Amino acid sequence: VTIIRIARIFDGERLHPEGGVVIIEDGRIVNVRPPDRAEPIDGTLLPGLIDCHVHLSADAGVGALDRVPQATEEELGDTIETSLRRHREAGVTTVRDLGDLRGVALHHGVIGSGAPLTTPGGHCWYLGGAVSGEREIRREVRRRVTDGAKVIKIMAGGGVFTPGSDPAGTQFTDEELKAAVDEAHAHGLPITAHAHAAGAIRQSLKAGVDGIEHATFADDALADALAEAGTTVCPTLGSDPAIPVPPEFLALAERAGLTQAALQQGVARLSRAGVKIVAGSDAGLGPAKPHGILPRTLEEYVLSGLTATEALRAATASAAEACNVRKGRVRPGYDADLLIVEGDPTVDITALHRIRGTHVAALN
Ligand SMILES: [Zn+2]
């Protein structure tokens, strides 16, 4: 039994400024009691952070995702373990991998999608997830279920860094997208769609996806519709300003309108409409997106207009719901993946950089 007396608790939803006593047994929180007379640790206890959008097999170097298919199985395994360690060091105790090479990250016990479903030559086709036609789509969804995927990822729109793929366009027909959604749901799995542009977001929403990744250019009407449908949106902000990005990559992103200002305006619009936001960084993708960048993602959400409490909720209680795990809350019955930081992150989100300790039931 572990007993933690702590000055403040953020329980995944809100702050308890009076703190309390958290009792842990066999990796599980068994009780949370009001403060007693013993001296508490000076800090805030909160659930371990959850990053809902990472690429563990990508090493965050230049062109990291494109290089994944050239790596050997052993190299990919090393990269995945290193990536997981970086997340852990940053207070991220759970990640959801939304795109690897043919399911390699799933062998490391993480929640993941395997290779994203895409069209032949479409966004990230080189990860091995190219499909066409409803039959093949359904078959590939079933294959991922067998491989142990806990979520299906589909590239509804194009991407910036795949030559020939158009981030402003859609990739699948309405019927194909619907087939993917139906097959995922038939096997009890959620499905999330990559979409930057309004057209791809609208198509995904109509097909009934559970989540949308990025959703950068949702207009007000679309944001309202997403809120109404209860669709979870993962806006993948967060980059390390100290790491220079090669100018050709910046130019590609800018040509697609994906500037930092546009990304932040997108989050502001979603937040105003009341869309359920979950935190994700797209860690691994390239030099400014190292693994463990999630605290910076949350800072950028706050710069975009979320309160610090809303940003924390996106990385704890809401993220856990999206990942379907019994984590993300300081409450009896939940996994004891816990973090203690200096100060109060509901007042100053940068407190997440000052970790005093972690208690992790199990990293996955
Ligand atoms: Zn991604």
Side-chain angles (χ1 to χ4, degrees):
V1 176
T2 305
I3 298 171
I4 303 174
R5 291 184 170 80
I6 186 79
R8 283 173 299 277
I9 296 174
F10 173 77
D11 69 1
E13 287 280 349
R14 64 185 191 90
L15 183 78
H16 299 265
E18 74 285 5
V21 184
V22 178
I23 300 163
I24 300 161
E25 219 177 312
D26 294 330
R28 192 77 60 80
I29 299 167
V30 292
N31 204 351
V32 183
R33 293 201 305 242
D36 56 21
R37 263 183 244 167
E39 185 69 17
I41 300 168
D42 182 23
T44 305
L45 179 124
L46 69 157
L49 304 177
I50 301 172
D51 191 332
C52 294
H53 189 138
V54 305
H55 300 281
L56 293 174
S57 51
D59 64 9
V62 174
L65 212 48
D66 321 20
R67 284 186 287 102
V68 166
Q70 277 97 60
T72 64
E73 193 91 353
E74 203 190 334
E75 286 167 342
L76 288 177
D78 288 348
T79 303
I80 290 167
E81 289 304 323
T82 306
S83 306
L84 283 170
R85 197 174 62 240
R86 299 257 153 81
H87 283 286
R88 225 174 289 146
E89 286 163 359
V92 176
T93 52
T94 301
V95 295
R96 181 173 72 166
D97 190 295
L98 286 186
D100 65 12
L101 186 73
R102 294 188 284 271
V104 64
L106 302 176
H107 306 149
H108 291 255
V110 299
I111 299 157
S113 64
L117 299 175
T118 190
T119 49
H123 185 36
C124 293
W125 61 270
Y126 46 80
L127 294 176
V131 286
S132 62
E134 294 172 49
R135 249 179 89 137
E136 198 181 345
I137 287 171
R138 287 183 184 273
R139 194 184 68 215
E140 284 300 311
V141 169
R142 288 196 296 272
R143 187 200 300 274
R144 281 157 182 70
V145 174
T146 312
D147 287 349
K150 293 284 184 279
V151 57
I152 299 297
K153 163 102 178 276
I154 188 160
M155 303 301 204
V160 178
F161 300 118
T162 306
S165 159
D166 176 13
T170 54
Q171 296 208 124
F172 290 100
T173 65
D174 291 357
E175 291 73 25
E176 286 174 322
L177 211 52
K178 188 77 174 58
V181 171
D182 288 348
E183 196 66 30
H185 287 172
H187 292 89
L189 291 194
I191 178 166
T192 193
H194 161 104
H196 284 292
I201 298 168
R202 198 173 296 117
Q203 193 193 35
S204 304
L205 185 62
K206 210 172 106 196
V209 298
D210 304 280
I212 295 183
E213 305 306 304
H214 318 300
T216 314
F217 300 112
D219 55 23
D220 286 330
L222 260 178
D224 286 342
L226 289 165
E228 173 121 359
T231 312
T232 292
V233 174
C234 181
T236 56
L237 305 195
S239 55
D240 186 342
I243 300 175
V245 176
E248 63 270 28
F249 283 86
L250 271 183
L252 271 176
E254 259 165 45
R255 201 176 315 145
L258 292 167
T259 60
Q260 198 175 31
L263 292 171
Q264 292 191 1
Q265 279 160 21
V267 174
R269 199 173 293 118
L270 295 167
S271 159
R272 276 199 306 271
V275 174
K276 181 178 268 192
I277 291 174
V278 297
S281 66
D282 229 339
L285 204 60
K289 293 238 178 234
H291 291 282
I293 192 79
L294 194 70
R296 181 70 200 152
T297 303
L298 303 189
E299 280 172 59
E300 289 188 20
Y301 288 169
V302 171
L303 290 174
S304 309
L306 269 71
T307 65
T309 297
E310 287 169 341
L312 288 167
R313 205 178 283 153
T316 55
S318 299
E321 264 172 51
C323 295
N324 221 344
V325 287
R326 201 182 41 207
K327 298 173 183 289
R329 290 177 190 272
V330 181
R331 187 186 281 182
Y334 283 74
D335 288 359
D337 290 351
L338 301 169
L339 199 58
I340 295 173
V341 298
E342 281 176 26
D344 179 355
T346 68
V347 172
D348 174 12
I349 195 73
T350 67
L352 295 177
H353 292 293
R354 297 183 291 279
I355 297 174
R356 290 199 57 179
T358 47
H359 184 287
V360 180
L363 184 90
N364 65 17

